[in-house]
Amino acid sequence: MDTKKIRFIIVLLGLLSLWGFGGLLWFMAEDRAIFEILLTASCLGVSVVSFFGLWHYRRWALVLSRFVALAAMGFGGYLAHFAWTFWLFQTPTLADRIFAVLRPQVSLFLFVPVLWLVLSFLPAINTKFLPKKNETLP
């Protein structure tokens, strides 16, 4: 895979990460939940640091981005469970439950991390982050 395609993937998934964590931070700030604000802000900060490290093909950033993806996927699992089970004043059908999980607010935290984890382990992308011959790790 050439450098342009890898950079496009990094930018696209980085923007989706900023959109997801930024929107989540906005909701947490409206609720004034201090612990959740700090947790979401730290995830957003780590995501930004990881993005800039990935842009420069740093190995530590690849590992850090995988941890961010796992954290986002864990939060997406929580959101999916909440969307699947929390129904007031009605009994949802199976289609209602599935559509609730497929909403962008939920599916962004499920599908994008899975996509990044799959792509980041591809040999064509993974080898770009390995040190070249005669180069030492910083």
Side-chain angles (χ1 to χ4, degrees):
M1 191 174 294
D2 67 347
T3 305
K4 279 187 170 183
K5 289 180 184 177
I6 294 174
R7 292 258 168 121
F8 176 75
I9 291 169
I10 290 170
V11 168
L12 177 67
L13 295 179
L15 288 175
L16 287 174
S17 172
L18 291 176
W19 179 43
F21 284 124
L24 188 61
L25 184 60
W26 182 270
F27 287 129
M28 294 299 148
E30 284 181 349
D31 285 343
R32 295 186 179 148
I34 300 299
F35 176 73
E36 287 84 359
I37 289 172
L38 293 174
L39 183 66
T40 308
S42 65
C43 285
L44 180 64
V46 169
S47 179
V48 169
V49 168
S50 174
F51 169 75
F52 284 112
L54 287 172
W55 185 260
H56 295 290
Y57 296 111
R58 301 288 188 237
R59 182 75 177 171
W60 60 265
L62 182 65
V63 173
L64 186 63
S65 71
R66 290 174 180 161
F67 281 115
V68 170
L70 287 174
M73 201 166 58
F75 185 73
Y78 170 75
L79 286 177
H81 174 71
F82 187 78
W84 186 269
T85 59
F86 187 73
W87 291 84
L88 292 176
F89 309 117
Q90 70 179 20
T91 304
T93 64
L94 180 63
D96 290 335
R97 291 177 188 246
I98 291 172
F99 286 135
V101 171
L102 291 178
R103 291 181 62 201
Q105 293 90 346
V106 177
S107 62
L108 176 71
F109 288 100
L110 287 175
F111 300 131
V112 173
V114 169
L115 177 67
W116 175 246
L117 287 173
V118 168
L119 288 175
S120 71
F121 282 106
L122 288 177
I125 292 180
N126 207 6
T127 56
K128 283 286 194 183
F129 293 92
L130 293 176
K132 312 291 186 271
K133 284 197 180 246
N134 301 329
E135 183 182 348
T136 60
L137 289 173

